[in-house]
Amino acid sequence: VLAMCVGVISYGQSNDQIQNKKGIDIMPVKGEFAVGAGVGLGNVTGFVGSMFGYTGYNSFSQSYINSPIVGASQSIFGKYMLTDNNALRMTFYNGGSDALTSYEVFDDRANTPDSTVVDKYGTNSSTTYISAGYEWRRGKTRLRGIYGAEAVLSWTNSSRSYTYGNTMDATNLTPTSAIGYYNADYGRVLEENFGSTVGLGVRGFVGVEYFIAPKIAMGTEFGWRVMMNKSNKSSFTYERFDPFADNGAGQIVTHTDTPNLGGRTFSSNIDNFNTQIYFHFYF
């Protein structure tokens, strides 16, 4: 198989360079890079259609730099031409958030209407996709066919944290709070870690590019992707006041529960056959 691939790379068809009326080369050549930007046609047709009717959707706000692997998420896409008709390609996407919200609540110890403490609720999440692959190109006109395969790696994680202004003790077993919840067995929640998920897969793709100007191509593609995802266990941490701890003196104890021990999923799907149009700029 490797020998066959090497043969294709080494002895593939020539680029058959095309020039415009000014004598400028139109097709990409060995050693050039490309960056891509794409938009789903649904956004464009929705915008145009709204001009003649419903205007609430009359916006390009849902346009995006798009990858068929990530879907509607913004991503960085690039190519490097190994030969005039073969390219390495890569996609990178990372998205996430780290948020902290504060709440003012009644101070249980001061016991006066004007005395307050602060509860803090935090959330953290991230999603990352990386793909790398190989592309073959065919054709002798401005219209070129593309096909190939790529490997896909992904990982995600998500968690929540709870910090309380009112402490828990023997005289205040259920402190006032604006966040969180109580578990009947373990007490009030301190942290929820939903575990990370790692995915590994492959994707075959086929599509077309049409060069509308020198080094500028408009194209579309669709592919078949197979993914295996493995999720790690989730863990929730709680605290409660145990009157029998510390030799009967009582103290705060914590408990970590693992409601989900993790698992795996296997999926396959055809992606990007949803009228996405992209533009590639070679330089």
Side-chain angles (χ1 to χ4, degrees):
V1 174
L2 179 60
M4 293 174 63
C5 291
V6 172
V8 171
I9 295 172
S10 300
Y11 303 105
Q13 66 178 39
S14 63
N15 190 12
D16 295 321
Q17 183 60 257
I18 301 173
Q19 295 180 333
N20 64 9
K21 294 180 180 180
K22 296 182 179 180
I24 300 174
D25 290 344
I26 292 177
M27 311 306 297
V29 295
K30 177 181 177 180
E32 291 188 334
F33 292 89
V35 293
V39 61
L41 276 184
N43 297 319
V44 179
T45 56
F47 179 83
V48 175
S50 295
M51 295 174 64
F52 300 95
Y54 176 63
T55 59
Y57 186 75
N58 202 18
S59 170
F60 272 128
S61 61
Q62 292 188 357
S63 297
Y64 41 77
I65 300 173
N66 193 297
S67 162
I69 294 174
V70 182
S73 303
Q74 294 179 346
S75 60
I76 299 172
F77 176 82
K79 293 182 186 180
Y80 176 71
M81 301 296 296
L82 291 174
T83 72
D84 291 354
N85 281 294
N86 304 94
L88 291 177
R89 45 189 274 164
M90 183 174 183
T91 301
F92 174 77
Y93 165 77
N94 177 262
S97 65
D98 189 354
L100 184 66
T101 306
S102 298
Y103 299 89
E104 195 174 54
V105 297
F106 178 73
D107 186 346
D108 292 342
R109 295 195 178 281
N111 200 28
T112 60
D114 297 329
S115 298
T116 60
V117 292
V118 175
D119 286 353
K120 296 181 180 180
Y121 169 62
T123 61
N124 182 279
S125 64
S126 69
T127 301
T128 301
Y129 283 87
I130 296 176
S131 72
Y134 196 88
E135 175 183 293
W136 285 266
R137 309 168 64 84
R138 294 185 60 84
K140 295 180 179 296
T141 66
R142 286 178 179 241
L143 181 65
R144 298 296 167 105
I146 62 172
Y147 59 96
E150 51 198 343
V152 184
L153 175 65
S154 68
W155 62 92
T156 64
N157 62 70
S158 176
S159 64
R160 300 172 185 165
S161 63
Y162 305 84
T163 303
Y164 302 98
N166 285 309
T167 58
M168 182 185 295
D169 57 28
T171 61
N172 192 11
L173 297 178
T174 56
T176 303
S177 63
I179 59 175
Y181 59 89
Y182 277 80
N183 181 289
D185 296 320
Y186 309 126
R188 67 179 178 181
V189 64
L190 295 177
E191 183 179 30
E192 296 170 306
N193 189 329
F194 297 99
S196 60
T197 299
V198 178
L200 184 63
V202 293
R203 176 179 180 265
F205 60 89
V206 63
V208 293
E209 287 186 354
Y210 183 80
F211 283 81
I212 58 177
K215 310 296 184 178
I216 300 176
M218 179 176 68
T220 189
E221 70 176 54
F222 67 95
W224 181 57
R225 176 176 53 178
V226 177
M227 289 287 294
M228 175 71 76
N229 292 288
K230 183 181 184 305
S231 59
N232 296 316
K233 67 179 181 181
S234 60
S235 62
F236 294 178
T237 302
Y238 305 89
E239 70 171 1
R240 65 180 178 86
F241 183 81
D242 184 353
F244 303 105
D246 193 21
N247 296 321
Q251 66 178 16
I252 295 293
V253 296
T254 60
H255 175 81
T256 299
D257 186 32
T258 54
N260 187 330
L261 297 179
R264 64 172 180 83
T265 59
F266 178 84
S267 63
S268 66
N269 66 292
I270 294 177
D271 60 59
N272 201 38
F273 204 41
N274 56 357
T275 67
Q276 179 192 263
I277 298 296
Y278 63 73
F279 293 88
H280 282 166
F281 304 89
Y282 294 85
F283 55 93

